[in-house]
Amino acid sequence: MSLDYSSLLRDDLPPPAAQPWSGFPAYNFVGGNVDGEHVPTQGLIDAAARVLAREGRTLATYNLESGPQGYLPLRRCVAEALARRTGMATSAEEVLITSGSNHAIELVGDALLAPGDTLLIERETYGGKLSRLKKREVNVVGVPLDEGGMRMDALDATLGDLAAKGIKPKYIYTIPTVQNPTGTVMSRERRLELLEIARRHDVLIFEDDCYADLLWAEARPPTIRSLDAGGGQVIYCGSYSKSIAPALRIGYLVADWDFMRHVLPLKTDGGTGAVTQMLLAEYAAGNFDAHVEDLNRGLQAKLAVMVEAVESEFGTSAEFTLPKGGIVLWIKLPDEVDTTRLAQAAAAEGVAINPGAEWVCDPDYGRSRLRLCFANPSETAIRDGVAKLAEICHREFGVPTRSANIER
Amino acid sequence: MSLDYSSLLRDDLPPPAAQPWSGFPAYNFVGGNVDGEHVPTQGLIDAAARVLAREGRTLATYNLESGPQGYLPLRRCVAEALARRTGMATSAEEVLITSGSNHAIELVGDALLAPGDTLLIERETYGGKLSRLKKREVNVVGVPLDEGGMRMDALDATLGDLAAKGIKPKYIYTIPTVQNPTGTVMSRERRLELLEIARRHDVLIFEDDCYADLLWAEARPPTIRSLDAGGGQVIYCGSYSKSIAPALRIGYLVADWDFMRHVLPLKTDGGTGAVTQMLLAEYAAGNFDAHVEDLNRGLQAKLAVMVEAVESEFGTSAEFTLPKGGIVLWIKLPDEVDTTRLAQAAAAEGVAINPGAEWVCDPDYGRSRLRLCFANPSETAIRDGVAKLAEICHREFGVPTRSANIER
């Protein structure tokens, strides 16, 4: 007779997995996968040969010989890249290597967020972040965006309203450069305005730059943290998930020591995977900029294929603004389309999409929106998958009425 | 003017780090570091060249193309090693790759433990585990050990006492093979007795075999999980931290799907580091057994040096039982020695030790005990460090009175 686990489980668990994983859908437009053609495989092999021969024996110690903030050459590499690519002077002592940027976001949450706390966030934002915040039982207030990112008039008004109720948010979370999912970029002027508002209301800013390397439509603006010039108003995180590969699981937090010292005791994972830190430091030091330039050319070409497919298959039914970089297209369909239902119908036929309701603070606002990640599928898969999605959408909701100039 | 972080922090945080990490102590006998000479550097380099050339492009997707349980070839490798080395038939579907075995332990805790719950644990056990349980606000009941591991008479009596109070523990946690810190091994007979007791009281067993590969003084007994023969009474975890290198951060959970399915949604880390999973699977498939044999010969030699040093420097003041494998010596000093104070005095002079109070359920029991990890320091460092420790102990507590046949 088998033990009955159900009586042992906590009573607040998420639903269990239905069955073991059985492979990717044929047309996979969800999440944050990147382009397999651009993983720098040979560069990583060469890096492994050099760095493991030189320092492989240090794997015998937790944290190598670099302490809990992570492999020192990688922290230096992050600091130098931030200085070189964004003009943000950074020291290795301000950098904490994490297992992806979500890990950095979680550690900051562990340090700051208690149940009942309030924080401000872009109305459209990363779905996984929202579900984690919900678990923390915090009050998430969404601030609307326009084509230049988070709207400063709305932010100022929201902070004023909260102050009138005696509520001071723990921080303002923003993805200012290639926002996820909207692809917008906040201008230098707006960043300065954001800083001014945050200072006036005495609120911390959490700047998430995890997509910032994938910007091709304009020059990269200075980070908000660099504009603060050591004022301690901004903590920052970034990632190699999009610029090199997500399965590496390497991100980083950048903060003053005065903040960092409180975060370190919360990182109880025995260190972030050291082999990957070593390979990445060894590879990225000399190759990162050229790699990203090449990667972005490839992404830009795939975006063009995706845009052409959506315009051809959905016609005027699909509204979107061209993203300035990144890996996703954020689309508004006619009001009669419920994208959560569309996603279910599409999944049954091998097309995976992120319904808008999962990527916004207010599910109603996301109801007819969807997010399509174009980085991983081949150009053929993009064309075929979008055609299939349009066909399913027409069948379920009656739109689009015309596809590829053919009446349905 | 800088932002004041102190008003933003949660009020239940652990003490902040005092300063950035500044290097290892000269004589480092703490934690779970292993021997740098035995990290299979060249094997990992060769593995990297092969596996990244073949499958490097799959790093572009979260979880490679293996789903949330981890890289399939590594899960197969774990399953085959368990069958081959312990006789436990295991399928890849029962294996979840985690970022070290602590991560497996944490995930099981997330699934099972709510504040106020009770669990049973060996009285002497891994310190980090105890501090994490304390944070969960659970009731930890210690079961004493003898030279054959957890005492079954004490376990049965404890379960009876709890039942009389209407308390049913969530699980019995045990390290049956090369227990940390005592180095004991539970016999096959005792394992069968443990299973019988657990079944009679209807309690789950959590078997932690993270040190089990480092057993040299006797043949490895069958795992408790294998003796249960599919009864679902036992969940199991293991690790490559001790057998290959801790900085890899690769461990695994083994459980029936019926349990596994509840754990998977709790693993929200975007997957365990995939480069390391790939390298490890590629390396371990053909080399693991020979590597471990070689490693164990080296550890056994270092243990001999440590034992000789302790006997020479502490004489009859140090009582211990020779561990059957592993990387630590667990020592009892005379009652007048407070090892927490000794650890502080020693740290100031470059000798790091784990005081017993941090590795037992009842701090009083650990007061005069200490744990010395001998795997990482060189033989010279072991000799010199133990001599220095004896000198400090004599100065602070008056014992040992004789060292290396010289009266102090």
Side-chain angles (χ1 to χ4, degrees):
Chain A
M1 201 193 63
S2 218
L3 191 77
D4 173 23
Y5 300 124
S6 61
S7 65
L8 296 176
L9 298 165
R10 281 181 66 119
D11 55 17
D12 58 357
L13 295 185
Q19 62 212 19
W21 191 79
S22 58
F24 284 124
Y27 305 103
N28 191 12
F29 300 125
V30 300
N33 298 326
V34 300
D35 190 348
E37 300 302 325
H38 282 88
V39 176
T41 305
Q42 191 56 50
L44 293 174
I45 291 171
D46 297 343
R50 286 196 305 272
V51 71
L52 290 174
R54 200 175 65 229
E55 303 174 39
R57 68 187 312 282
T58 64
L59 292 168
T61 59
Y62 284 87
N63 293 313
L64 303 163
E65 291 170 1
S66 284
Q69 285 182 244
Y71 183 52
L72 187 56
L74 182 58
R75 287 192 275 138
R76 287 195 183 122
C77 178
V78 166
E80 280 160 21
L82 289 170
R84 186 178 72 243
R85 296 175 63 86
T86 79
M88 177 161 76
T90 307
S91 76
E93 284 68 37
E94 293 170 287
V95 177
L96 171 68
I97 304 297
T98 58
S99 303
S101 60
N102 276 327
H103 187 201
I105 294 172
E106 287 300 291
L107 288 170
V108 169
D110 290 345
L112 298 183
L113 298 176
D117 279 348
T118 295
L119 63 93
L120 271 60
I121 196 167
E122 285 141 352
R123 181 171 58 181
E124 284 132 296
T125 198
Y126 168 54
K129 164 111 191 150
L130 289 171
S131 59
R132 287 186 177 96
L133 289 169
K134 198 173 159 191
K135 225 167 84 182
R136 290 188 189 272
E137 298 171 39
V138 296
N139 180 26
V140 177
V141 180
V143 180
L145 297 97
D146 61 19
E147 296 198 359
M150 188 188 273
R151 271 175 43 201
M152 290 303 114
D153 58 332
L155 173 67
D156 202 6
T158 303
L159 284 168
D161 288 350
L162 289 170
K165 291 184 211 154
I167 296 170
K168 193 165 140 175
K170 281 294 175 85
Y171 57 83
I172 303 159
Y173 172 84
T174 178
I175 309 177
T177 315
V178 191
Q179 205 267 349
N180 177 10
T182 62
T184 53
V185 177
M186 201 185 279
S187 68
R188 178 192 164 93
E189 292 64 39
R190 197 176 286 196
R191 287 165 195 242
L192 286 167
E193 201 181 344
L194 171 54
L195 259 181
E196 185 276 319
I197 293 170
R199 285 185 186 136
R200 180 152 42 79
H201 289 274
D202 196 29
V203 176
L204 183 71
I205 297 169
F206 188 177
E207 177 177 20
D208 181 352
D209 245 1
C210 71
Y211 285 90
D213 286 308
L214 311 191
L215 171 62
W216 56 72
E218 60 181 60
R220 184 160 167 183
T223 67
I224 307 169
R225 181 169 162 85
S226 70
L227 293 171
D228 183 42
Q233 199 80 38
V234 189
I235 54 178
Y236 180 96
C237 74
S239 177
Y240 287 101
S241 288
K242 305 301 175 257
S243 56
I244 308 276
L248 300 179
R249 309 311 303 126
I250 300 286
Y252 44 88
L253 179 71
V254 180
D256 299 358
W257 171 251
D258 214 33
F259 185 81
M260 186 67 79
R261 62 201 288 260
H262 296 285
V263 171
L264 290 183
L266 304 174
K267 190 169 184 292
T268 56
D269 59 358
T272 290
V275 170
T276 315
Q277 291 191 68
M278 287 173 139
L279 263 59
L280 199 46
E282 190 76 15
Y283 168 76
N287 301 300
F288 187 75
D289 294 357
H291 164 76
V292 168
E293 212 173 300
D294 185 47
L295 171 71
N296 283 345
R297 267 194 300 272
L299 289 172
Q300 198 171 0
K302 277 201 173 173
L303 171 61
V305 174
M306 172 61 91
V307 164
E308 196 190 294
V310 170
E311 284 179 339
S312 160
E313 298 294 340
F314 282 87
T316 53
S317 294
E319 293 169 36
F320 58 87
T321 304
L322 201 65
K324 305 226 165 160
I327 59 175
V328 307
L329 192 62
W330 177 242
I331 298 170
K332 168 76 174 73
L333 293 180
D335 289 342
E336 59 264 41
V337 181
D338 175 344
T339 52
T340 300
R341 268 183 50 215
L342 175 62
Q344 285 160 0
E349 298 182 39
V351 185
I353 63 168
N354 288 123
E358 293 174 8
W359 292 73
V360 296
C361 293
D362 166 13
D364 268 355
Y365 179 81
R367 195 180 170 281
S368 302
R369 288 178 161 82
L370 77 158
R371 176 186 181 277
L372 296 178
C373 178
F374 56 79
N376 192 254
S378 68
E379 299 195 353
T380 308
I382 291 173
R383 286 193 196 94
D384 295 352
V386 170
K388 193 151 191 178
L389 182 66
E391 186 190 309
I392 296 164
C393 190
H394 174 78
R395 191 186 68 214
E396 299 287 324
F397 300 100
V399 288
T401 48
R402 295 182 67 84
S403 293
N405 286 327
I406 298 161
E407 189 104 19
R408 289 203 186 252
Chain B
M1 205 193 62
S2 217
L3 191 77
D4 173 23
Y5 299 125
S6 60
S7 66
L8 296 177
L9 298 165
R10 280 181 67 118
D11 54 16
D12 58 356
L13 295 186
Q19 63 213 17
W21 191 78
S22 58
F24 283 124
Y27 306 103
N28 193 13
F29 300 124
V30 300
N33 297 325
V34 301
D35 190 348
E37 300 303 324
H38 282 89
V39 175
T41 305
Q42 191 57 50
L44 293 173
I45 291 171
D46 297 344
R50 286 195 305 270
V51 72
L52 290 174
R54 199 176 64 227
E55 302 174 39
R57 69 187 309 284
T58 64
L59 292 168
T61 58
Y62 285 85
N63 293 314
L64 305 161
E65 291 169 3
S66 284
Q69 287 182 242
Y71 183 53
L72 186 56
L74 182 58
R75 286 192 276 138
R76 288 196 182 123
C77 178
V78 166
E80 282 160 20
L82 289 170
R84 187 177 72 243
R85 297 175 62 86
T86 79
M88 176 162 77
T90 306
S91 76
E93 285 65 38
E94 292 171 286
V95 177
L96 171 67
I97 304 297
T98 57
S99 303
S101 59
N102 276 327
H103 187 200
I105 294 172
E106 287 300 292
L107 288 170
V108 169
D110 290 345
L112 298 183
L113 298 176
D117 279 347
T118 295
L119 64 94
L120 270 59
I121 194 166
E122 285 142 354
R123 181 171 58 179
E124 284 131 298
T125 198
Y126 169 53
K129 164 111 190 151
L130 289 171
S131 59
R132 288 188 177 94
L133 289 171
K134 199 173 156 191
K135 226 168 84 184
R136 289 188 189 271
E137 299 171 37
V138 295
N139 179 27
V140 177
V141 180
V143 180
L145 298 96
D146 61 19
E147 295 197 1
M150 188 188 273
R151 272 176 42 201
M152 290 304 113
D153 58 333
L155 173 68
D156 203 6
T158 303
L159 284 167
D161 288 351
L162 288 170
K165 292 185 211 154
I167 297 170
K168 190 163 144 179
K170 280 297 174 84
Y171 57 84
I172 302 161
Y173 172 83
T174 178
I175 309 176
T177 316
V178 192
Q179 206 266 348
N180 178 10
T182 62
T184 53
V185 177
M186 198 184 279
S187 67
R188 180 193 163 92
E189 291 65 38
R190 198 176 283 195
R191 287 167 196 241
L192 286 167
E193 200 181 344
L194 171 54
L195 258 181
E196 184 277 318
I197 293 170
R199 284 187 187 135
R200 178 152 41 80
H201 290 274
D202 195 30
V203 177
L204 183 70
I205 297 170
F206 188 0
E207 177 177 23
D208 181 352
D209 244 0
C210 71
Y211 285 91
D213 286 308
L214 311 190
L215 171 62
W216 56 73
E218 60 180 61
R220 184 162 168 180
T223 67
I224 307 170
R225 181 169 163 84
S226 70
L227 294 172
D228 183 42
Q233 198 81 36
V234 189
I235 54 176
Y236 179 96
C237 73
S239 178
Y240 287 101
S241 288
K242 305 300 176 258
S243 56
I244 307 275
L248 300 179
R249 311 309 304 122
I250 300 287
Y252 44 88
L253 179 71
V254 180
D256 298 358
W257 172 251
D258 214 32
F259 185 82
M260 186 68 79
R261 62 200 286 260
H262 295 285
V263 171
L264 290 183
L266 304 174
K267 190 169 185 290
T268 57
D269 59 359
T272 291
V275 170
T276 315
Q277 291 190 68
M278 286 172 140
L279 263 60
L280 198 47
E282 189 77 14
Y283 168 75
N287 301 297
F288 187 75
D289 294 356
H291 163 76
V292 168
E293 211 173 301
D294 185 46
L295 172 70
N296 283 346
R297 268 194 299 271
L299 288 173
Q300 199 171 358
K302 277 201 172 175
L303 171 61
V305 174
M306 173 61 91
V307 164
E308 195 190 293
V310 170
E311 284 178 340
S312 160
E313 298 294 339
F314 282 86
T316 54
S317 294
E319 295 168 33
F320 57 86
T321 304
L322 200 66
K324 305 226 165 161
I327 58 174
V328 307
L329 191 63
W330 177 241
I331 298 171
K332 168 76 173 72
L333 293 179
D335 288 344
E336 61 263 42
V337 181
D338 175 343
T339 53
T340 300
R341 269 183 50 215
L342 175 62
Q344 283 161 1
E349 298 182 38
V351 185
I353 62 167
N354 288 124
E358 293 175 7
W359 292 73
V360 296
C361 293
D362 166 13
D364 268 356
Y365 178 81
R367 196 180 169 279
S368 302
R369 288 177 160 82
L370 76 158
R371 176 185 180 278
L372 296 178
C373 177
F374 55 80
N376 191 253
S378 68
E379 299 194 353
T380 308
I382 291 173
R383 288 193 194 94
D384 295 353
V386 170
K388 194 151 190 177
L389 182 66
E391 186 190 307
I392 296 164
C393 191
H394 175 77
R395 192 184 69 214
E396 299 286 325
F397 299 101
V399 289
T401 49
R402 296 182 67 86
S403 294
N405 286 328
I406 296 161
E407 188 105 19
R408 292 214 182 242

